[in-house]
Amino acid sequence: MSRTKRLLELLEILRAHRYPVTASTISERLSVSVRTVYRDISELQQQGVRIEGGAGIGYIIKSDYHLPPLMFSAHEINALTLGLNWVCQNTDPDFKKIAKNTIAKIHAVIPDNLREHIEYQSLITGPDNTRETFFCDIRRSINTCCKAKLRYIDKKSTVSSRTIWPIALAYMDSCWLLVGWCEMRNDFRHFRTDRIIDFSPMDARYNERRSVLLNRWRKAEGMSIGQEY
């Protein structure tokens, strides 16, 4: 592997992680020594790439705005298009519009030889039976970190009313799950969106950061940070 290609791959590894990546992890990915990784990171820093961290801590990229964007491969275009097409089929109208605009932006900037992977996608998605009811309101409550009143019918047909702190929407087992902190249970709870009878966003914000709650939920579920990648 040429040094230029190795530096680009190192950048791609750092760009793909929101949390520090150790030099040993990078060295395994690139099949080079840890010492070489240290030299490459130093070279990128000298070129103006803002990489923070150190030996034993890990490295994280903060800014590489002066560098040209890395080009997607054909396989990456297929993966992106597959995911965005799924969003176009299975979310609320606002999110569908965002996904379609994203596909259009990618289509506009990639080379002609890659555009056919969008125009003639061989991996096709279709709509499922998930109800979109309250999806937009739920997303808005998550984004604004606001509480919500919920009326819910469980699998035993028992109806309950509760106040929750919405923190995430997860698509699992062919249904959307609303993840939230339930004030009544004083714990995290999952609510199938197709069983929500009423969802009423509140103006009151919850008093913890959503990122903190999300990490606590991940730990409670046995998920490591970044496992969803």
Side-chain angles (χ1 to χ4, degrees), residues 101-114:
N101 289 343
T102 304
I103 292 175
K105 287 181 180 179
I106 294 173
H107 186 276
V109 299
I110 61 176
D112 291 341
N113 66 311
L114 289 176

Side-chain angles (χ1 to χ4, degrees), residues 7-227:
L7 290 175
L8 288 173
E9 289 201 12
L10 194 159
L11 274 174
E12 192 166 0
I13 291 170
L14 293 176
R15 280 171 162 168
H17 290 78
R18 294 178 298 167
Y19 302 95
V21 188
T22 63
S24 60
T25 298
I26 297 171
S27 70
E28 290 176 7
R29 293 277 298 276
L30 298 178
S31 299
V32 298
S33 68
V34 171
R35 187 175 179 180
T36 298
V37 173
Y38 291 148
R39 286 202 304 265
D40 288 349
I41 288 176
S42 177
E43 172 67 22
L44 289 171
Q45 289 172 328
Q46 290 174 20
Q47 292 180 18
V49 182
R50 188 181 165 198
I51 299 174
E52 297 182 359
I57 302 173
Y59 296 91
I60 185 169
I61 192 167
K62 291 295 185 179
S63 173
D64 58 351
Y65 62 88
H66 69 291
L67 294 172
L70 297 181
M71 183 49 61
F72 296 118
S73 69
H75 292 307
E76 288 168 338
I77 290 292
N78 282 334
L80 284 169
T81 306
L82 177 65
L84 289 167
N85 281 337
W86 186 91
V87 173
C88 289
Q89 295 280 356
N90 298 292
T91 55
D92 66 85
D94 287 343
F95 219 43
K96 290 176 181 178
K97 183 178 180 180
I98 292 170
K100 289 178 181 178
N101 289 343
T102 304
I103 292 175
K105 287 181 180 179
I106 294 173
H107 186 276
V109 299
I110 61 176
D112 291 341
N113 66 311
L114 289 176
R115 287 178 184 163
E116 65 180 57
H117 293 281
I118 293 179
E119 296 168 355
Y120 305 103
Q121 172 68 283
S122 58
L123 305 174
I124 300 171
T125 64
D128 62 17
N129 295 322
T130 305
R131 289 170 53 195
E132 297 173 4
T133 310
F134 310 121
F135 199 95
C136 190
D137 287 337
I138 292 171
R139 283 201 303 109
R140 188 178 299 112
S141 292
I142 291 172
N143 292 334
T144 57
C145 299
C146 286
K147 299 181 181 182
K149 290 188 179 299
L150 185 76
R151 289 185 66 232
Y152 186 75
I153 181 168
D154 64 19
K155 60 184 179 181
K156 297 180 179 179
S157 299
T158 301
V159 177
S160 63
S161 299
R162 55 188 82 193
T163 298
I164 66 167
W165 305 358
I167 62 171
L169 273 167
Y171 190 79
M172 298 180 179
D173 297 328
S174 301
C175 71
W176 281 103
L177 294 179
L178 167 60
V179 181
W181 177 266
C182 178
E183 291 188 351
M184 182 173 72
R185 300 299 184 189
N186 197 33
D187 200 356
F188 294 107
R189 287 291 185 269
H190 303 149
F191 306 94
R192 286 182 53 141
T193 59
D194 56 354
R195 291 179 179 164
I196 295 176
I197 301 172
D198 186 58
F199 184 91
S200 301
M202 301 170 63
D203 293 330
R205 293 169 60 90
Y206 42 82
N207 56 13
E208 287 197 57
R209 291 172 56 193
R210 190 179 72 89
S211 59
V212 173
L213 289 168
L214 200 54
N215 282 337
R216 284 172 54 192
W217 171 73
R218 284 191 180 115
K219 290 179 180 178
E221 294 296 311
M223 298 171 59
S224 61
I225 294 175
Q227 185 177 332

